[in-house]
Amino acid sequence: MRIRRALRSLVLAAVTIAAIVPGAQAEDRVLRVSLNTELQVLDPIVTTINATRVFAYLVFDMLVAIDNEGNYHPQMLDGWQISDDRLTYTFRLRDGLLWSDGSPVTAEDCVESIKRWAKRESFGREMMDAAQDLRAVDDKTFVLQLKEPFAYVIEALGKPGNTIPVMMPARLAKLDPSKAVPEVVGSGPFIFRQKDWRPGVVAVFDRNPNYKPRPEPADGLAGGKVVKIDRVELVSMTDQSIRVAALQSGELDMLEVVPFDYIPALRADPNVTIAPQRGVQQMMEVLVVNHIQPPFNNPKIRQALQAAIRQEEVLASLGLPSDMYLKQCESIYMCDAPGTTAAGTEVYKSIGTERARALLKEAGYNNEPVALLHASTSALLNNPGLVYADLMRKTGFNVDLRTSDFATVAQRRTNRGPVGEGGWSAMAIVWNGIDLVNPLSDPAITNNCAEYYPGWYCDPMQTDLLRRYSIATAEDERKTLAAQLQVAFHKNVNLVLGGQFSAPAAIRSNLHGLIPFAFPVFWNIERQ
């Protein structure tokens, strides 16, 4: 009965999509994808939602791009020159760059885009705090003049994670950075059909005929983004069984994240391929806590929460096969990764309910309500959210579980007020491992004292360590500072780590050329 209902819903969804996108069912050069969360916001500067990041790499491009090994390469740039004193960076755009409206990309566009991004993102703010001037020299050349050393200019401009330094026309980049731009104009490999967008149904992207790929082979977000399909459709299907049925029937070509309890069945399906993930290709479950409102404005109560969360229980709730998650990972740089360190992890030696109760009593917790935002529509957040709530209640927290869809959670998390005025105390999120490779872009620490990052953790010690890291050039010094930052993270309990796991995509086996990365990209794919 359940399968018949799922298939009936699938047919209705297909009819709806076909009505919006003419020829949607007849074309083989169309890629239909279901993301893990709904696309709600079309500006990657004003939100950290993963669906917006996927959207961003479809329609926008970046000056610098990261490959699958964590190396940075010119993308929109032809290259750059750095002065001997490392205070002057001269950048030159490559030939053939056009906006989706047909106008040429200019150096002024890039200067204004960088300035807009830096007002919203801590890595960019660090860079601009060290800057004396950022100016266009001619249509293709611009210069960043530093007043003091900043060793990570290239890494900042190539930051792959949320709040991405995408380029857009100067007329849009000059708008208020706290509000989404009203028009989507990018220079990426696809063009967004904004007028046909139906939130909660489908978002359509056509191949950009004016896009000029780089000559190098594609690697991660870098290299030649050669588009071999005509169109990408991001199809909204919130019911997990319907999404899986759609993939198996061929109505969908890709699931960004496989519903975990369906992995064994899909692994046995010859028409479906599930790619393995390791290290920074994996994800991290995270429990964000609100540092500016009770009870988690008290660091001792945050320490009690840290002791209460057992990662193996959180990850077991996902229903993953045992080879797809780690029983424990306390490194903010991911485990089995280049930056993995055990610094500061001594606090995890005596975690558990009894220890957490003792810490909660020592902290003087007075049964203040804990509003836990719970996104039931996300396969990655639903069950972990329930486990977080259970572990907190066993510890003695007065948990008020606020269940809704992810879009509602994402909107509410910006409320800085108390619980009684629509605020919140904690919420589950996930991070892509690729975002955690550099301390200056790692959301576990880089948003320290940032105005816009929900949770609003702020530790003066981390501010100083981040400043010192930003000017360090010796590898040994960088490793020492990265370790000290992790110690400070665990001591302050910026957030609580819920554990490292794989959240693999599933694709139809007749698709080839998928670029392996921490989140889906749609160039280089073709159907055979």
Side-chain angles (χ1 to χ4, degrees), residues 48 51 120 161 223 292 307 341 387 413 424-425 435 454 472 475 482 490:
T48 59
R120 294 283 302 185
I292 61 175
T341 174
V387 173
R413 67 179 178 172
W424 57 280
S425 309
D435 300 338
E475 189 61 30
H490 287 304

Side-chain angles (χ1 to χ4, degrees), residues 235-261:
V235 182
S236 297
M237 291 186 182
T238 57
D239 185 283
Q240 304 298 341
S241 62
I242 292 178
R243 295 172 72 231
V244 172
L247 179 70
Q248 291 184 302
S249 70
E251 183 65 33
L252 286 177
D253 297 300
M254 178 188 296
L255 303 184
E256 180 192 14
V257 177
V258 182
F260 297 148
D261 52 345

Side-chain angles (χ1 to χ4, degrees), residues 43 45 72 139 223 227 235 291 354 397 399 413 434 457 469:
D43 188 337
I45 300 299
Y72 293 83
D139 283 349
V227 177
V235 182
H291 285 238
E354 294 306 315
F397 286 103
V399 178
R413 67 179 178 172
I434 194 66
Y457 60 87
Y469 187 91

Side-chain angles (χ1 to χ4, degrees), residues 246-310:
L247 179 70
Q248 291 184 302
S249 70
E251 183 65 33
L252 286 177
D253 297 300
M254 178 188 296
L255 303 184
E256 180 192 14
V257 177
V258 182
F260 297 148
D261 52 345
Y262 290 95
I263 286 177
L266 292 179
R267 275 180 162 176
D269 188 337
N271 296 312
V272 175
T273 299
I274 298 177
Q277 295 178 319
R278 291 291 182 270
V280 296
Q281 292 180 344
Q282 293 183 303
M283 305 186 81
M284 181 70 77
E285 282 281 353
V286 181
L287 185 62
V288 181
V289 292
N290 188 336
H291 285 238
I292 61 175
Q293 295 291 344
F296 296 123
N297 59 343
N298 182 335
K300 290 190 176 296
I301 293 180
R302 297 198 299 271
Q303 290 169 5
L305 178 64
Q306 182 186 55
I309 302 306
R310 293 191 292 273

Side-chain angles (χ1 to χ4, degrees), residues 319-443:
L320 280 164
S322 60
D323 62 338
M324 285 192 174
Y325 66 91
L326 305 183
K327 291 185 177 180
Q328 190 76 11
C329 177
E330 298 103 11
S331 176
I332 61 174
Y333 310 114
M334 302 292 283
C335 294
D336 299 329
T340 304
T341 174
T345 61
E346 299 83 4
V347 296
Y348 288 95
K349 290 181 179 179
S350 59
I351 65 170
T353 302
E354 294 306 315
R355 175 61 176 159
R357 284 176 178 168
L359 288 171
L360 200 59
K361 184 176 181 180
E362 291 175 17
Y365 176 64
N366 195 30
N367 204 42
E368 296 97 334
V370 173
L372 176 60
L373 303 186
H374 171 230
S376 61
T377 57
S378 169
L380 299 183
L381 301 177
N382 181 30
N383 287 349
L386 296 174
V387 173
Y388 289 133
D390 181 59
L391 292 173
M392 292 166 70
R393 285 176 176 137
K394 288 178 178 177
T395 298
F397 286 103
N398 177 16
V399 178
D400 178 9
L401 190 65
R402 306 288 180 87
T403 300
S404 63
D405 58 28
F406 182 80
T408 301
V409 169
Q411 182 179 23
R412 183 169 180 175
R413 67 179 178 172
T414 62
N415 189 327
R416 296 170 62 99
V419 169
E421 297 177 12
W424 57 280
S425 309
M427 64 172 289
I429 62 170
V430 291
W431 289 334
N432 287 99
I434 194 66
D435 300 338
L436 280 62
V437 297
N438 187 307
L440 294 178
S441 62
D442 187 333

